[in-house]
Amino acid sequence: NKLLDILLVRHGQTKWNVEMRLQGTLDSDLTETGVFQAKKLGEKLEDIEFSKIFASPSGRTMKTAELVMGKRVSPIITDERLKEMNFGVLEGKKVETLEEGFKEEIVVMHEKPEIYNPSEYNGETYKELMGRTSRFLDEIIENEKGKVLVVAHGMSLMAIISAINNMEVKDFWSRGLKPNVSLTMYNYNNGLYGEKLFYDTSHYE
């Protein structure tokens, strides 16, 4: 009998989130707000014993994972497959400046993900993103039990949520962008997922 709880947490607000820059595989520090958000979630979850803690190796996710962990001494296992979608040479640039050269692709990225083609700026496709994140999910389902914490990024977590719900690429954005340090929780029981929390931010609101 396979029982598993999966807690999905996006990193705290960062400087580039505030500046509306594409982060992707690049990184920026958590803001004071981001630190506060993560500490608040840590307080909410302080009595939960995690069997494993996984995080994207980016600085913003590692810092968030540490803050959520609080006094616990469990190791944080990094996994490259949890990294944010790669936006190639657009990373670090302000979204408003992209509107000039790549407006069309940025619109397509959000409105028609199934035909999004980032090859012009060496970005990652949705198929690649969803491939790596669903492989990560499959491994967790196969190998883990108890309560597993996963700290990652807006889009890499949305890809995991898409896989859990058998969503097609075209529906990727249908439930909106995962907010900073929101908690989404699924329980897995013998092939079936139950959604217990979705994009919950009540711990810091």
Side-chain angles (χ1 to χ4, degrees):
N1 207 15
K2 180 83 183 179
L3 291 170
L4 180 66
D5 285 328
I6 304 171
L7 289 80
L8 304 173
V9 175
R10 185 183 171 202
H11 61 79
Q13 183 196 72
T14 66
K15 291 179 177 157
W16 283 7
N17 286 157
V18 176
E19 292 173 9
M20 299 288 288
R21 290 180 191 271
L22 274 184
Q23 288 187 120
T25 60
L26 295 185
D27 211 18
S28 71
D29 290 336
L30 297 186
T31 60
E32 275 181 34
T33 299
V35 170
F36 170 79
Q37 292 167 333
K39 282 182 174 168
K40 281 293 182 192
L41 181 59
E43 288 168 20
K44 177 180 177 142
L45 302 178
E46 66 185 354
D47 296 331
I48 292 185
E49 210 172 300
F50 294 111
S51 47
K52 290 270 177 74
I53 293 132
F54 293 96
S56 151
S58 297
R60 60 192 184 275
T61 37
M62 293 300 290
K63 181 71 181 164
T64 301
E66 284 161 19
L67 290 167
V68 171
M69 297 264 305
K71 297 188 178 75
R72 294 182 191 86
V73 287
S74 311
I76 298 170
I77 303 156
T78 58
D79 196 307
E80 293 282 331
R81 294 171 297 183
L82 292 173
K83 284 179 105 161
E84 186 54 304
M85 193 174 197
N86 188 331
F87 303 110
V89 298
L90 304 190
E91 293 186 351
K93 295 186 167 54
K94 287 195 174 182
V95 174
E96 66 204 40
T97 61
L98 298 178
E99 306 251 311
E100 295 152 24
F102 298 102
K103 183 171 186 180
E104 210 171 304
E105 276 318 314
I106 299 299
V107 169
V108 168
M109 179 170 85
H110 290 96
E111 293 181 7
K112 287 208 161 72
E114 70 277 14
I115 61 163
Y116 172 66
N117 175 12
S119 58
E120 199 182 334
Y121 44 85
N122 206 19
E124 187 176 18
T125 65
Y126 279 92
K127 192 176 176 187
E128 289 165 331
L129 171 68
M130 293 170 89
R132 63 179 165 88
T133 49
S134 62
R135 284 191 292 275
F136 169 81
L137 177 66
D138 290 345
E139 275 178 37
I140 283 192
I141 293 301
E142 199 172 323
N143 301 318
E144 306 303 335
K145 55 184 187 289
K147 295 185 189 318
V148 172
L149 176 67
V150 179
V151 183
H153 306 267
M155 291 176 72
S156 61
L157 289 168
M158 287 160 71
I160 289 175
I161 291 165
S162 297
I164 285 173
N165 291 286
N166 286 319
M167 288 159 62
E168 293 179 39
V169 178
K170 68 179 175 61
D171 299 318
F172 187 90
W173 290 94
S174 60
R175 301 181 77 180
L177 176 67
K178 190 166 181 28
N180 292 112
V181 198
S182 58
L183 177 60
T184 297
M185 181 172 156
Y186 289 93
N187 58 26
Y188 176 85
N189 186 351
N190 287 330
L192 293 174
Y193 289 98
E195 192 172 273
K196 297 297 159 199
L197 282 171
F198 188 78
Y199 287 12
D200 179 48
T201 53
S202 59
H203 41 279
Y204 66 76
E205 281 183 337

